[in-house]
Amino acid sequence: GFVAFGGQTAGFAATVAYDPATRLGVVVLSNGAQDDGGIGWHLLRPTFPVTTAAVVAERRQRVARAAHVDGTRLDALAGTYRVAEGSTKGDLLTIERQADGLVLHSSTTPPQGLRLYANDARTFFAAEVDLTLAFETDGRNVATGFTLRFAGFETRADRVPEARGRS
């Protein structure tokens, strides 16, 4: 993985990103208050798409077509998951139920997390980035893990058993 930070102020924006594995870093400066559309990340990982007006429009259409998933099903997907492989192996990802949807929280998401929209009852996507989660479930339809696809990479995360309180 790589480390990135960005922000905006007074009509300008900046992104700094560094990949320790390749020892490659980039700095993107912009004279616009909008974010850089992912240019910094794209320079480090060409498979990461740059956000253009067309990409934004397609994401809005996708959100408008999102499927409705029953609340009981959403509850069965919510929980904590541990990344099983790759450069983020061991990291914890939390899927939280919020109102009529799911939100992904991790060490790299914004504080409010990433809202997930349903393609169907087991496959979800984020509107802000090229990210898809495909859940696997047991015989009771409770999630046991998921495959996460992000910017051309795929990794698996397994559900962490919930700690049971003592009675």
Side-chain angles (χ1 to χ4, degrees):
F2 59 88
V3 179
F5 182 79
Q8 299 90 22
T9 185
F12 300 94
T15 299
V16 177
Y18 177 70
D19 183 348
T22 62
R23 297 176 48 144
L24 179 66
V26 297
V27 176
V28 177
L29 302 174
S30 170
N31 62 349
Q34 300 298 316
D35 67 32
D36 69 8
I39 294 170
W41 289 31
H42 178 75
L43 291 170
L44 289 177
R45 297 281 191 286
T47 57
F48 191 88
V50 176
T51 303
T52 63
V55 169
V56 170
E58 188 276 328
R59 287 179 179 165
R60 284 187 184 135
Q61 290 174 356
R62 219 172 148 202
V63 168
R65 293 188 312 262
H68 172 76
V69 177
D70 177 78
T72 303
R73 177 74 174 143
L74 294 175
D75 289 339
L77 302 176
T80 302
Y81 299 80
R82 185 177 309 280
V83 177
E85 57 198 21
S87 61
T88 59
K89 180 178 181 177
D91 284 3
L92 293 177
L93 307 174
T94 301
I95 305 297
E96 179 183 23
R97 165 87 187 275
Q98 285 186 4
D100 63 345
L102 296 175
V103 176
L104 168 68
H105 293 279
S106 77
S107 61
T108 59
T109 60
Q112 71 275 15
L114 289 176
R115 170 75 156 91
L116 299 175
Y117 300 89
N119 282 326
D120 55 47
R122 71 173 211 88
T123 309
F124 291 77
F125 66 93
E128 299 87 352
V129 294
D130 179 23
L131 179 139
T132 304
L133 279 77
F135 287 92
E136 296 99 32
T137 58
D138 61 16
R140 299 173 300 137
N141 271 338
V142 174
T144 58
F146 58 77
T147 299
L148 182 141
R149 292 175 189 89
F150 176 67
F153 294 93
E154 188 172 291
T155 190
R156 175 154 175 73
D158 297 312
R159 189 177 199 131
V160 175
E162 294 181 24
R164 302 283 180 198
R166 293 181 186 209
S167 306

